[in-house]
Amino acid sequence: MKKLIFTCILLGGLIYLSPAEVIAQSVSTSTVDSKTQEKLEKSKIQLEKYTESHRKAVEKLAKTREDYDKKNGAGKLSPNDVEKITKKLGKQSKSIEKLDKKIRKLEEYIRKNS
């Protein structure tokens, strides 16, 4: 009876400490790692797109502001035109702020997972 109990405990220990579980655990961590790498690559591509959009938006805002200053200085704008252009400048500024926020968030994610 003691040999049977000892054998059961020994087999239970061998099954518990088998290398199959260790291999299964390492496979699961490598799949998570590969998913993280894929997401990291997508984030880098998205960061490039946002950076390019930000650059274009800043250029467009500068051009609009320059045109506004030029026309307003010459006195060619009506009060309605001034209101419309001011509203347009505000919208462009908000879109630039949103892009800045997205860029900072992506940079932080890339820095954290690199």
Side-chain angles (χ1 to χ4, degrees), residues 41-81:
E41 292 300 318
K42 287 181 182 179
S43 296
K44 287 179 182 178
I45 292 169
Q46 193 67 31
L47 179 64
E48 290 176 14
K49 288 180 183 179
Y50 284 153
T51 306
E52 183 65 23
S53 296
H54 181 269
R55 184 187 60 78
K56 287 181 181 179
V58 169
E59 288 175 359
K60 185 175 181 181
L61 178 66
K63 182 179 178 188
T64 304
R65 185 167 283 147
E66 183 182 319
D67 289 343
Y68 169 74
D69 290 339
K70 184 187 270 185
K71 288 179 182 178
N72 196 29
K76 295 182 178 180
L77 296 176
S78 68
N80 289 337
D81 291 337

Side-chain angles (χ1 to χ4, degrees), residues 1-8:
M1 190 69 172
K2 289 181 181 179
K3 289 184 180 181
L4 182 62
I5 293 173
F6 179 72
T7 308
C8 288

Side-chain angles (χ1 to χ4, degrees), residues 11-62:
L11 286 175
L14 287 174
I15 291 172
Y16 180 73
L17 298 173
S18 69
E21 289 183 27
V22 174
I23 293 171
Q25 290 175 354
S26 67
V27 169
S28 66
T29 56
S30 67
T31 57
V32 170
D33 196 27
S34 66
K35 287 181 182 179
T36 304
Q37 289 298 327
E38 288 177 18
K39 193 170 180 182
L40 190 63
E41 292 300 318
K42 287 181 182 179
S43 296
K44 287 179 182 178
I45 292 169
Q46 193 67 31
L47 179 64
E48 290 176 14
K49 288 180 183 179
Y50 284 153
T51 306
E52 183 65 23
S53 296
H54 181 269
R55 184 187 60 78
K56 287 181 181 179
V58 169
E59 288 175 359
K60 185 175 181 181
L61 178 66

